Amino acid sequence: MNFKNLDFTKVLLRILELLILKPLTIPFNIYKNALFALSNSRSADSEESNLSGEFPLYIWYVSIFDAIIVISYPIGILAAFFAAIQAPYKSFQIFIGILVATYFYPLLFGLFRELAQIALKVLLYLKIISKNSTS
């Protein structure tokens, strides 16, 4: 590989995007995807509709992460207000700290949900394949 072919400005911009921009936008995307997953859970092509008969506990387990992600922001905002009100000093720092932690909270549960979702997708695709092969 020749170093003359490398565009260091593109490399630097990509590094900045991955280290600064993505961590700031991913939690909101996870939250938005959890809202869509909960609102579309009864649609005909959802995992819940297709696999709930065979794997009701597993469907519930994966869906619970969506519910936790969706309620994390309202609970986090309320916790920030109550912690700031109850703090004897540095209440603004406590308020901001809890809000920042709350913003990144969906990352943790989004990771757990995606790990569980991988197996659920495999089950769904196997069911679709078995339907198509028997037809």
Side-chain angles (χ1 to χ4, degrees), residues 2-135:
N2 192 354
F3 281 108
K4 293 178 184 179
N5 296 337
L6 292 176
D7 188 0
F8 286 106
T9 32
K10 286 184 182 180
V11 170
L12 182 63
L13 288 174
R14 182 69 178 154
I15 289 171
L16 292 175
E17 176 188 356
L18 290 172
L19 294 178
I20 296 172
L21 187 64
K22 286 290 184 185
L24 294 176
T25 58
I26 288 176
F28 182 70
N29 289 336
I30 292 170
Y31 188 80
K32 185 177 63 171
N33 290 341
L35 285 173
F36 285 133
L38 288 175
S39 68
N40 295 334
S41 63
R42 300 284 186 220
S43 67
D45 60 343
S46 70
E47 293 93 5
E48 188 172 335
S49 297
N50 289 315
L51 295 174
S52 63
E54 294 92 357
F55 306 100
L57 185 61
Y58 198 70
I59 294 291
W60 172 80
Y61 178 72
V62 172
S63 299
I64 211 72
F65 285 113
D66 286 328
I68 291 171
I69 290 168
V70 168
I71 65 168
S72 68
Y73 283 167
I75 288 176
I77 292 169
L78 289 174
F81 278 120
F82 287 125
I85 290 170
Q86 296 296 324
Y89 57 92
K90 295 187 179 184
S91 60
F92 184 71
Q93 288 91 343
I94 291 171
F95 177 75
I96 296 299
I98 292 175
L99 284 182
V100 168
T102 298
Y103 182 74
F104 291 108
Y105 191 70
L107 283 175
L108 177 67
F109 281 101
L111 176 64
F112 293 145
R113 184 195 185 284
E114 286 183 12
L115 290 174
Q117 187 75 13
I118 290 170
L120 192 62
K121 289 286 187 186
V122 169
L123 291 172
L124 178 64
Y125 293 148
L126 286 173
K127 184 175 180 178
I128 291 170
I129 289 169
S130 69
K131 277 185 183 179
N132 290 339
S133 66
T134 59
S135 299

